[in-house]
């Protein structure tokens, strides 16, 4: 093998001079750029480390720093989907609240000056007793006009009235349904808490006089609070745990019984819904019917069934004999045909209805009757039917023959 010898390359001196001049020129440019950046205002007070970092970034591209995008937040919702309140500095002048005109321009004082007349008649079945008139009742001049009150709805749901009535019908109830209305205290107030104990005592005595005059069958106290006051003032009984329904005391010198039911107001905490109070109206109706002696119609009537074994056996025998006489295979089993005892126009076990139709159709049927009975499809009495029911009918039999 031949050995290869490598000798070092020799570089011309001109190349060395050219490369040295290029490096000196490049270094001079870098120093000039460094001095220019050091003289700028933003770099005058920078520490030595910042200057070194600036020198390193000379040959890098100058990029403008971008601020991170600020996330857009959806406006928060406050109570019931309303936007949150503005900051104190951005508060706009508050809008004046619009006043509700509940009484068609009348002030509360003017409405409180009005009274609610009683709806009374002698010998009523039911007399509804409230505490005192409210503002809306005094303004409307009717009893229980508030749409949220459950009185009229429960009156209908319990069956006392057959149709749904409203406060506008209160004057017609004494004549139609023998129901009246009154209150313990006549003064109109926004609420019962505005009444004084003196007014309750005087109202109880006036209510007794009113009941003794008109003598209703049942005095219905609409609310537990009113009966507690009435019972303490009239009967001298301080009842702490009252039970709804019929009460043990009657109105003095009368046969009027007292009935207590929950308040029909929707603010009744114990029975807040109308369906919770319907039960007491139903019991009131039953009490009225019981006191009047009205017979009740039970929804479910029981029926008494009896079973006599001997009578059942006799019926079974009669039914078996009857079936044997009408059985078409009975005669064939005993070898003979029993003569029919049917009169004219009748047949043994078969109905013979007269045919009514057009003259052409009648003549056609007459021609068929003269044909043999087997062809027409008639079956003799006492024989089994060997043909299909469709073949028994001339129209179907003829149609099937044409199709074939």
């Amino acid at each position: 093998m031949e050995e290869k010898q490598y000798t070092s390359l020799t570089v011309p001196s001109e190349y060395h001079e050219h490369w040295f001049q290029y490096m000196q020129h490049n270094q001079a440019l870098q120093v000039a750029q460094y001095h220019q950046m050091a003289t700028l205002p933003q770099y005058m007070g920078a520490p030595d480390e910042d200057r070194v970092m600036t020198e390193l970034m000379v040959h890098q591209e100058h990029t403008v720093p971008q601020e991170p995008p600020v996330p857009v937040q959806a406006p928060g919702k406050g109570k019931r989907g309303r936007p949150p309140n503005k900051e104190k500095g951005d508060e706009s002048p508050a809008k004046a609240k619009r006043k509700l005109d509940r009484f068609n321009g009348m002030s509360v004082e003017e409405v409180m000056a009005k009274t609610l007349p009683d709806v009374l008649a002698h010998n009523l079945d039911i007399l509804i007793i409230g505490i005192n008139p409210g503002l809306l009742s005094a303004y409307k001049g009717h009893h229980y006009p508030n749409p949220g009150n459950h009185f009229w709805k429960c009156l209908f749901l319990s069956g006392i009235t057959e149709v749904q009535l409203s406060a506008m019908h209160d004057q017609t109830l004494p004549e139609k349904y023998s129901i009246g209305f009154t209150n313990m205290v006549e003064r109109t107030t926004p609420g019962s808490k505005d009444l004084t104990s003196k007014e309750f005592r005087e109202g109880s005595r006036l209510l007794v006089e009113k009941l003794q005059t008109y003598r209703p069958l049942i005095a219905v106290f609409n609310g537990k609070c009113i009966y507690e006051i009435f019972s303490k003032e009239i009967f001298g009984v301080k009842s702490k745990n009252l039970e709804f329904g019929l009460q043990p005391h009657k109105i003095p010198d009368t046969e009027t019984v007292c009935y207590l039911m929950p308040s029909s107001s929707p603010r009744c905490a114990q029975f807040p819904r109308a369906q919770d109070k319907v039960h007491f109206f139903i019991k009131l109706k039953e009490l009225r019917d019981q006191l009047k002696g009205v017979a009740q119609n039970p929804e479910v009537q029981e029926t008494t069934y009896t079973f006599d074994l001997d009578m059942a056996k006799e019926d079974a025998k009669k039914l078996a004999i009857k079936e044997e006489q009408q059985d078409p295979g009975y005669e064939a089993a005993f070898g003979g045909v029993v003569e029919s005892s049917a009169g004219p126009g009748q047949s043994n076990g078969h109905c013979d209805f007269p045919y009514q139709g057009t003259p052409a159709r009648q003549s056609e049927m007459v021609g068929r009757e003269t044909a043999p009975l087997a062809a027409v499809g008639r079956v003799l009495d006492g024989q089994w039917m060997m043909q299909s029911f469709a073949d028994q009918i001339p129209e179907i039999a003829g149609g099937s023959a044409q199709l074939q």
Side-chain angles (χ1 to χ4, degrees), residues 339-359:
E339 296 182 358
S340 174
S341 60
Q346 298 180 356
S347 62
N348 186 13
H350 298 282
C351 297
D352 189 9
F353 295 102
Y355 177 78
Q356 295 179 1
T358 59

Side-chain angles (χ1 to χ4, degrees), residues 12 23 25 60 71 78 96 112-113 236 246 249 296 329 345 373 379-380 404:
M23 295 297 295
H25 179 70
Q60 297 181 1
M112 290 177 61
L246 181 63
H249 304 284
Q296 299 181 2
L373 294 176
V379 179
L380 293 174
Q404 293 176 0

Side-chain angles (χ1 to χ4, degrees), residues 234-287:
I234 303 304
F235 305 128
V237 178
K238 187 176 181 181
S239 303
K240 293 184 179 180
N241 298 323
L242 286 174
E243 296 292 339
F244 294 106
L246 181 63
Q247 301 301 309
H249 304 284
K250 293 184 179 180
I251 302 300
D253 301 329
T254 65
E255 293 298 325
T256 303
V257 298
C258 298
Y259 184 87
L260 175 60
M261 66 180 183
S263 174
S264 59
S265 171
R267 292 177 292 180
C268 180
Q270 190 175 1
F271 302 96
R273 303 177 303 173
Q275 53 264 38
D276 302 329
K277 306 170 185 178
V278 175
H279 168 76
F280 301 97
F281 282 78
I282 295 175
K283 292 301 179 182
L284 173 62
K285 178 185 176 183
E286 294 178 357
L287 177 62

Side-chain angles (χ1 to χ4, degrees), residues 129-131 220-228 242 244 259-264 268:
I129 303 171
I131 298 179
V220 181
F221 292 85
N222 190 2
K224 184 180 290 187
C225 176
I226 178 176
Y227 187 74
E228 287 179 350
L242 286 174
F244 294 106
Y259 184 87
L260 175 60
M261 66 180 183
S263 174
S264 59
C268 180

Side-chain angles (χ1 to χ4, degrees), residues 15-153:
Y15 179 80
H16 284 284
E17 292 178 359
H18 179 71
W19 178 81
F20 181 73
Q21 291 177 1
Y22 172 77
M23 295 297 295
Q24 286 182 347
H25 179 70
N26 191 14
Q27 187 177 4
L29 290 175
Q30 292 180 2
V31 171
Q33 292 179 1
Y34 173 76
H35 286 294
Q36 288 179 0
M37 296 180 65
T39 55
L40 293 176
Q42 58 268 31
Y43 297 102
M44 289 296 293
D48 295 340
E49 295 180 359
D50 296 341
R51 293 183 181 181
V52 174
M53 295 300 297
T54 305
E55 183 178 358
L56 294 175
M57 295 175 63
V58 169
H59 299 286
Q60 297 181 1
E61 294 182 0
H62 182 68
T63 58
V64 179
Q66 297 182 358
E67 297 180 358
V70 180
V72 179
Q73 297 181 356
K77 293 185 178 180
K79 188 176 181 181
R80 296 183 180 177
R82 298 177 182 175
N85 295 331
K86 298 181 180 180
E87 298 180 358
K88 293 184 179 180
D90 300 337
E91 285 184 355
S92 58
K95 295 182 180 179
K97 292 184 179 180
R98 184 173 60 90
K99 295 183 178 179
L100 297 176
D101 188 8
R102 297 178 57 193
F103 309 115
N104 196 17
M106 294 181 62
S107 62
V108 176
E109 291 74 15
E110 292 175 345
V111 177
M112 290 177 61
K114 300 182 67 175
T115 57
L116 180 64
D118 295 334
V119 180
L120 291 173
H122 291 277
N123 301 320
L124 292 172
D125 291 342
I126 298 172
L127 179 61
I128 307 297
I129 303 171
I131 298 179
N132 74 307
L135 295 178
L136 190 60
S137 299
Y139 172 72
K140 295 281 188 179
H142 295 281
H143 293 265
Y144 307 106
N146 192 335
N149 198 288
H150 302 145
F151 175 79
W152 297 101
K153 184 182 294 185

Side-chain angles (χ1 to χ4, degrees), residues 101-244:
D101 188 8
R102 297 178 57 193
F103 309 115
N104 196 17
M106 294 181 62
S107 62
V108 176
E109 291 74 15
E110 292 175 345
V111 177
M112 290 177 61
K114 300 182 67 175
T115 57
L116 180 64
D118 295 334
V119 180
L120 291 173
H122 291 277
N123 301 320
L124 292 172
D125 291 342
I126 298 172
L127 179 61
I128 307 297
I129 303 171
I131 298 179
N132 74 307
L135 295 178
L136 190 60
S137 299
Y139 172 72
K140 295 281 188 179
H142 295 281
H143 293 265
Y144 307 106
N146 192 335
N149 198 288
H150 302 145
F151 175 79
W152 297 101
K153 184 182 294 185
C154 292
L155 206 66
F156 168 66
L157 294 177
S158 62
I160 296 178
T161 60
E162 67 275 4
V163 293
Q164 177 67 64
L165 303 178
S166 65
M168 305 303 294
H169 303 89
D170 58 353
Q171 298 291 335
T172 63
L173 259 65
E175 182 179 356
K176 283 188 174 182
Y177 303 101
S178 190
I179 299 176
F181 299 93
T182 187
N183 291 287
M184 179 182 288
V185 181
E186 295 182 356
R187 186 168 72 92
T188 303
T189 59
S192 59
K193 61 181 180 180
D194 300 319
L195 299 174
T196 62
S197 58
K198 181 180 179 181
E199 288 178 311
F200 280 120
R201 289 193 297 269
E202 294 178 356
S204 299
R205 289 191 291 269
L206 293 175
L207 179 60
V208 170
E209 295 177 0
K210 195 179 299 184
L211 293 172
Q212 291 174 347
T213 301
Y214 290 94
R215 296 180 179 273
L217 187 64
I218 308 172
V220 181
F221 292 85
N222 190 2
K224 184 180 290 187
C225 176
I226 178 176
Y227 187 74
E228 287 179 350
I229 299 171
F230 183 82
S231 177
K232 181 181 178 181
E233 294 295 329
I234 303 304
F235 305 128
V237 178
K238 187 176 181 181
S239 303
K240 293 184 179 180
N241 298 323
L242 286 174
E243 296 292 339
F244 294 106

